[in-house]
Amino acid sequence: FSLSPSVQIGAYANYGDINLWQNSDLGNGAWSGNGWGGGVTADYWTDNFYIQGLLGASKFAGEHQRTIKAVRALVDASEPTADRDANTMVGALRIGAPFEAGFAYFEPQITATWSRNDQLRFSETGASGIGNLTYKNRTTNYLQTATGLKLAFPISLHKKELLTPSLR
């Protein structure tokens, strides 16, 4: 939705499907979950500057599984399971300054993406003996940054058509 000739806001929805699997000599583990989310976007630009932003959140739910292999008479084989939930948040910001120099366009860019993953507490059932585990809440935060330069070479095909190959 355009708020002005140089400002737009938007919304998005997303769906994610997670299939994690880990294998070791003592047993295996998996988490199969899916979830929905969404968020908002915003853009501001002039002829030689732009800033783009995004904020969003998602909720995932699914089944956690482990396979415990028997270890002689010490540990019985079992397959504990649990319902497992996680919430994620994301924020992203991109700033760029495109300009023309001769027959090429140059666009220096800076990008930062932050994500927060909240894995909620859960307890397993189904293991023999004392093999059921209880996992506490866990939060992880990630920040990824990048700087780069986009180089583009516009090629006029017809009066109203322009092909613009680019390299970043």
Side-chain angles (χ1 to χ4, degrees):
F1 178 78
S2 292
L3 297 176
S4 74
S6 61
V7 176
Q8 287 183 341
I9 59 169
Y12 71 92
N14 63 281
Y15 171 78
D17 189 7
I18 299 169
N19 261 321
L20 301 174
W21 181 258
Q22 182 176 352
N23 190 7
S24 76
D25 291 338
L26 298 176
N28 305 315
W31 183 40
S32 298
N34 58 49
W36 289 90
V40 296
T41 63
D43 299 283
Y44 167 79
W45 66 91
T46 65
D47 287 341
N48 58 1
F49 176 80
Y50 65 86
I51 186 167
Q52 300 170 314
L54 174 139
L55 286 173
S58 299
K59 179 168 181 56
F60 292 92
E63 184 180 55
H64 160 91
Q65 297 176 313
R66 279 192 312 133
T67 301
I68 301 171
K69 294 181 181 178
V71 180
R72 295 194 180 118
L74 301 173
V75 177
D76 293 333
S78 60
E79 295 187 3
T81 62
D83 291 330
R84 183 174 175 184
D85 297 327
N87 300 314
T88 65
M89 296 186 333
V90 64
L93 184 67
R94 178 183 296 153
I95 300 171
F99 62 93
E100 186 176 358
F103 61 90
Y105 287 101
F106 296 90
E107 187 176 319
Q109 295 178 335
I110 298 172
T111 303
T113 305
W114 163 78
S115 73
R116 175 187 175 112
N117 301 308
D118 293 316
Q119 298 176 34
L120 305 181
R121 180 184 189 278
F122 66 95
S123 296
E124 297 175 331
T125 59
S128 62
I130 59 169
N132 290 318
L133 298 177
T134 295
Y135 294 79
K136 294 183 178 180
N137 289 344
R138 178 180 169 190
T139 298
T140 52
N141 286 285
Y142 303 95
L143 178 63
Q144 182 178 3
T145 60
T147 58
L149 177 67
K150 181 178 175 182
L151 177 61
F153 300 98
I155 302 167
S156 180
L157 300 176
H158 299 288
K159 289 182 182 182
K160 295 183 180 183
E161 293 180 16
L162 188 65
L163 176 66
T164 309
S166 64
L167 178 66
R168 184 177 312 193

